[in-house]
């Protein structure tokens, strides 16, 4: 494998692993959020479900966009966006801010 191939593979692996780490940590926090925020399990489940639905809906446009712009720039933008969204989630003091961060 050429050096460039290894670099591209490593970059893709890191971006993919980061995405799944963000995605899979949400269910772990649901129990904590139910205790921290005065909300119902149904509302929190709907917010989390909506955030996962937005990920699914955004996959096709992201794939099409990757064909038109630099894939590296797109992966970096998505990673920064995920980081910003989880920064909002981390500082959320109300269920409205938590929901906004999840939907972001």
């Amino acid at each position: 494998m050429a050096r460039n191939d290894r670099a591209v593979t490593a970059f893709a692996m890191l971006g993919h692993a980061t995405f799944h780490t963000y995605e899979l940590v949400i269910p772990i926090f649901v129990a904590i959020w139910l205790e921290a925020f005065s909300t119902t399990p149904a509302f929190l489940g709907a917010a989390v479900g909506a955030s996962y639905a937005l990920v699914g809906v955004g996959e096709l446009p992201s794939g099409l966009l990757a064909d038109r712009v630099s894939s590296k720039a797109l992966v970096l933008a998505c990673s920064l966006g995920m980081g910003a969204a989880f920064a909002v989630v981390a500082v959320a003091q109300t269920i409205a801010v938590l929901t906004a961060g999840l939907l972001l």
Side-chain angles (χ1 to χ4, degrees), residues 23-88:
E23 184 182 47
L24 294 175
V25 77
I26 292 172
I28 296 169
F29 286 125
V30 167
I32 297 168
W33 292 334
L34 284 171
E35 292 289 323
F37 301 104
S38 60
T39 187
T40 64
F43 181 82
L44 188 57
V48 169
S51 72
Y52 283 129
L54 288 175
V55 168
V57 168
E59 288 178 357
L60 181 60
S62 296
L64 295 173
L65 190 58
D67 292 337
R68 297 181 186 263
V69 299
S70 165
S71 296
K72 182 177 179 180
L74 187 61
V75 170
L76 288 174
C78 289
S79 295
L80 289 172
M82 285 187 300
F86 269 80
V88 171

